[in-house]
Amino acid sequence: MLLSHGVPQTRRASRQVNSRRSGVVGQARASHVRVCAKRGGSGQDGGGPDDNAPEKVDIDQLAERLSKEAEKLRLRGEEDNGTESSNENENGLISHSEAKSQVDDLDENGASRDTSPFKPQVRDVEAILLEDVGEGGFCADEFELIQQLGYLTIQAFQPRGSILENSQVTKEKKAVIAFVARYYSGRPYEFPVTTLLKEYLPVAEEAARNELLIMMELCGLPEPKWENLQISKTSPPVVRLLGYFLAAPSESATKSTLDPEDIAVTDTKGRSVWLVYRWEKLKPLSGFWEFDQAESQPTWPWQKPKETITDMRKTMLRSIFSGILDALDYCHSRNVVHGSLGSGSVFLSTYDARDSKDLAVKLDNFGFATFIDCSTQNANPGSSLDGGNNDSFAYSSDLKAAGLLMFETAILSLTDKANLQNVSPETIERLVMDVFREDFAGLREYCENEADWSETVSFLESGGGSGWDLLKKLLEGRVTAAESAKSEFFGKS
């Protein structure tokens, strides 16, 4: 392992990792030398016209040969016992055909690797990222893992055994793991900096590559790294990506059970892709639902609070929704569609409604985002989405997701916790997308008749029903993010 796992370690441990890493690099380099040596010697074996002629000894060549043999023995001693015994000939060299077989034949049983598109594709992820993105700017031994924050899963739908059964079994797989880590620049007089690391497991390596490409379109990979690790007040409304590196999987990843057939692409060396982000102490939107809001303190002890807790939460919700739409406008104006907007992709600088005026809202998790090339399409993110072309549909999918997120956040944040036993984001989504999919008037009537949702209804009816009007346009995808952010509901008309 190149990284510590959950327990802080000293720089001495980092140096030990460096030593082990150097040994791994040395092994790879040694294999290359052996192949070249065998290939070069094949043209000289077998002797010349006079095989019995006495051999002249060249002292310089002999010294060079002995030096190489000593280096070869040293490297062989660092390798695990028996790992290459079956592949070396009597001279300790790997033949060209055997070396090529080791590269092409990746099956554990020694059979030819199956190149079927329905089997895992093994490829050099590092080479692909270097070609598509460029240098990552970081390496594993510069980081020290402090704490695991959580993980993201993806769902796979598997058909049941009988073709007569229409239902499907949903299988969740751990795809991305988030960590708090310390970054050591190695520069003198510079203290370690807290960073956010996201480890993309093999099942999500394509998502890591896609997120790197999308973030380059949104704001690029900054230089120099050290200065950009610090919090910037002018940062864009997205979680700032700083770079990446490839390293061995974390302990949490190795404990995850992954079926080989579930992995679409995996690195040839079994490494995970680690993305490095600026640490800004952001909190996921989902945590706001259960946050216990404190009352605002009056200026003088004998005064009553200016706002009730419910009113404060409503003010905070307006700030959250306005920030989400501003962030979407930022992405859409750069021809990027998020594609997976939800409570796990929206992050807040605070949950406290008393700080709503200084709230920062940022989007994250662009692994399924799409870049729309406007040079070949007619999409214009700043215009109305009533045109009906494919690109307008792509942008409207984000807006529909924003409308659903707005609706479920309002219900889960304003409804008394005792009355939320049978209410979840999934039930709200089914209500909006299935039960009242083409019947917004029916959805509104249902909410008005639900006694536990009275605060949500009053919240949306404020400003002459501007909240309901905005929600309707978002769910129908008939408005852009820029237009939505100027809604009367936010007092920005």
Side-chain angles (χ1 to χ4, degrees):
M1 297 297 174
L2 295 180
L3 299 173
S4 59
H5 306 291
V7 180
Q9 295 183 357
T10 63
R11 296 296 289 164
R12 180 181 301 175
S14 179
R15 289 194 293 270
Q16 293 174 354
V17 170
N18 264 331
S19 300
R20 291 195 297 271
R21 190 182 185 197
S22 300
V24 175
V25 174
Q27 293 175 28
R29 188 179 296 112
S31 298
H32 177 70
V33 171
R34 288 169 184 158
V35 172
C36 293
K38 181 63 176 179
R39 187 182 303 169
S42 59
Q44 300 175 4
D45 292 343
D50 187 2
D51 294 342
N52 298 323
E55 181 181 0
K56 296 182 179 180
V57 179
D58 188 321
I59 300 300
D60 293 334
Q61 291 182 0
L62 179 60
E64 182 180 1
R65 182 177 178 183
L66 291 175
S67 177
K68 289 182 179 180
E69 290 294 326
E71 178 68 9
K72 182 174 62 178
L73 291 173
R74 185 187 67 81
L75 293 173
R76 190 185 304 173
E78 294 177 356
E79 297 170 350
D80 294 335
N81 294 331
T83 55
E84 296 182 351
S85 59
S86 60
N87 296 324
E88 295 182 357
N89 58 21
E90 59 185 5
N91 296 321
L93 302 176
I94 299 178
S95 66
H96 174 63
S97 59
E98 289 175 334
K100 186 176 183 303
S101 175
Q102 290 180 2
V103 176
D104 296 337
D105 185 353
L106 299 176
D107 188 5
E108 295 180 354
N109 298 322
S112 299
R113 177 167 56 90
D114 192 347
T115 58
S116 168
F118 302 102
K119 295 294 183 180
Q121 300 178 12
V122 182
R123 62 187 188 183
D124 191 346
V125 175
E126 184 175 16
I128 295 172
L129 294 179
L130 284 174
E131 180 180 357
D132 295 344
V133 180
E135 293 286 346
F138 296 97
C139 58
D141 52 359
E142 295 175 329
F143 293 90
E144 175 187 0
L145 296 185
I146 303 301
Q147 178 185 0
Q148 179 178 326
L149 296 176
Y151 59 88
L152 297 177
T153 60
I154 60 175
Q155 292 182 340
F157 296 91
Q158 298 178 335
R160 294 187 182 274
S162 173
I163 61 174
L164 300 178
E165 299 178 359
N166 296 324
S167 57
Q168 293 178 321
V169 177
T170 302
K171 185 178 182 181
E172 287 193 352
K173 306 179 185 65
K174 187 180 293 186
V176 184
I177 308 175
F179 298 91
V180 179
R182 291 193 185 100
Y183 170 72
Y184 295 88
S185 68
R187 300 179 181 180
Y189 309 111
E190 289 186 349
F191 293 99
V193 179
T194 303
T195 60
L196 170 66
L197 293 182
K198 288 200 298 187
E199 179 189 9
Y200 282 76
L201 276 62
V203 72
E205 282 178 353
E206 278 298 311
R209 173 181 171 272
N210 190 64
E211 180 153 347
L212 283 166
L213 294 174
I214 290 296
M215 293 304 295
M216 290 184 66
E217 294 290 342
L218 287 177
C219 47
L221 295 181
E223 289 290 349
K225 304 297 183 185
W226 175 260
E227 286 76 3
N228 283 279
L229 280 166
Q230 311 299 321
I231 296 177
S232 173
K233 295 182 179 179
T234 60
S235 59
V238 295
V239 178
R240 196 68 165 95
L241 177 65
L242 303 177
Y244 73 93
F245 61 91
L246 273 74
S250 66
E251 184 178 353
S252 299
T254 55
K255 290 180 178 179
S256 303
T257 55
L258 292 175
D259 298 330
E261 64 270 15
D262 296 334
I263 303 177
V265 179
T266 184
D267 180 47
T268 54
K269 300 179 182 178
R271 297 169 294 183
S272 296
V273 179
W274 296 76
L275 302 191
V276 184
Y277 300 82
R278 179 185 296 151
W279 175 250
E280 301 181 64
K281 300 180 181 180
L282 300 176
K283 311 172 189 298
L285 174 60
S286 56
F288 177 73
W289 303 338
E290 300 180 355
F291 178 70
D292 292 326
Q293 178 63 54
E295 292 184 352
S296 60
Q297 298 298 324
T299 306
W300 302 101
W302 58 84
Q303 291 180 327
K304 293 182 179 180
K306 297 180 180 179
E307 289 183 305
T308 65
I309 292 179
T310 301
D311 291 337
M312 293 171 63
R313 290 182 74 83
K314 291 180 180 179
T315 302
M316 185 67 168
L317 286 174
R318 283 190 177 87
S319 298
I320 293 174
F321 299 154
S322 176
I324 293 174
L325 294 173
D326 286 337
L328 278 181
D329 180 41
Y330 175 87
C331 297
H332 291 181
S333 64
R334 288 159 177 78
N335 308 318
V336 171
V337 178
H338 189 280
S340 58
L341 187 65
S343 60
S345 300
V346 177
F347 286 81
L348 313 176
S349 59
T350 181
Y351 290 151
D352 197 336
R354 293 173 293 183
D355 302 324
S356 60
K357 293 183 179 180
D358 299 323
L359 175 68
V361 180
K362 298 196 174 188
L363 301 184
D364 191 19
N365 300 325
F366 286 86
F368 296 96
T370 303
F371 176 74
I372 296 181
D373 187 359
C374 289
S375 62
T376 58
Q377 305 291 342
N378 298 322
N380 183 2
S383 62
S384 175
L385 296 178
D386 289 334
N389 58 39
N390 293 333
D391 294 330
S392 296
F393 176 79
Y395 291 115
S396 67
S397 65
D398 271 357
L399 298 168
K400 291 178 181 179
L404 176 61
L405 185 59
M406 171 181 171
F407 185 60
E408 71 178 26
T409 302
I411 292 177
L412 296 173
S413 301
L414 298 176
T415 304
D416 189 271
K417 294 180 181 179
N419 299 324
L420 286 176
Q421 297 179 357
N422 298 323
V423 181
S424 67
E426 292 75 21
T427 58
I428 297 174
E429 182 178 359
R430 285 196 296 269
L431 187 70
V432 175
M433 297 301 179
D434 296 333
V435 180
F436 297 104
R437 183 178 182 83
E438 302 292 340
D439 185 12
F440 186 80
L443 174 64
R444 180 173 180 175
E445 182 180 358
Y446 177 88
C447 294
E448 291 173 346
N449 293 329
E450 188 70 38
D452 296 335
W453 295 0
S454 59
E455 291 295 345
T456 300
V457 172
S458 65
F459 173 62
L460 296 174
E461 287 180 348
S462 60
S466 58
W468 286 113
D469 181 61
L470 173 62
L471 179 60
K472 184 175 186 294
K473 290 179 179 179
L474 287 173
L475 291 176
E476 293 176 352
R478 295 190 298 106
V479 65
T480 66
E483 294 169 348
S484 302
K486 299 177 182 178
S487 169
E488 295 180 4
F489 185 64
F490 306 117
K492 299 181 180 180
S493 58

